[in-house]
């Protein structure tokens, strides 16, 4: 489940790069990529709703060094904001 949520966080950067490289030449492909990415992100956020609504705070450790740890944590407010943002992104 962690890979899906991390994909929802980092995949938009890769798709934005692809869209920038496509430019205005392939408008239909660009629009379909954005729609597919938006739906994927929305479904990824909704897939986290059950554990979060059960009261869990789900941490995701991206980097764990001796002096530094980069961690994302998903709680109820973050899930609400992510759901609203990705829903609006789709429509």
């Amino acid at each position: 489940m962690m890979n899906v949520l991390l994909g929802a966080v980092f995949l938009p950067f890769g798709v934005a790069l692809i869209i920038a490289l496509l430019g205005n030449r392939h408008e239909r492909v660009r629009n379909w990529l954005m729609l597919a990415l938006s739906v994927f992100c929305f479904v990824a956020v909704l897939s986290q709703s059950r554990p979060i609504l059960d009261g869990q705070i789900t941490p995701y450790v991206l980097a764990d060094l001796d002096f530094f740890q980069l961690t994302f944590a998903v709680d109820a407010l973050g899930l609400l904001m992510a759901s609203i943002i990705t829903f609006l992104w789709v429509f």
Side-chain angles (χ1 to χ4, degrees):
M1 199 57 67
M2 178 175 81
N3 294 333
V4 174
L5 191 60
L6 291 178
V9 172
F10 293 113
L11 192 63
F13 294 108
V15 173
L17 179 65
I18 292 170
I19 288 173
L21 292 175
L22 286 174
N24 289 329
R25 295 176 301 206
H26 304 285
E27 187 175 342
R28 293 186 74 140
V29 174
R30 182 186 68 205
N31 292 342
W32 278 107
L33 275 174
M34 271 313 298
L35 180 63
L37 175 70
S38 301
V39 170
F40 170 77
C41 289
F42 184 65
V43 170
V45 167
L46 288 183
S47 72
Q48 293 294 306
S49 63
R50 179 56 50 205
I52 302 302
L53 293 177
D54 287 341
Q56 291 180 329
I57 296 176
T58 310
Y60 297 104
V61 178
L62 295 179
D64 191 8
L65 304 173
D66 292 336
F67 57 91
F68 179 74
Q69 183 176 15
L70 181 60
T71 305
F72 288 124
V74 180
D75 61 355
L77 183 59
L79 180 71
L80 175 67
M81 294 299 295
S83 299
I84 291 170
I85 290 167
T86 56
F87 178 78
L88 291 175
W89 199 13
V90 172
F91 298 103

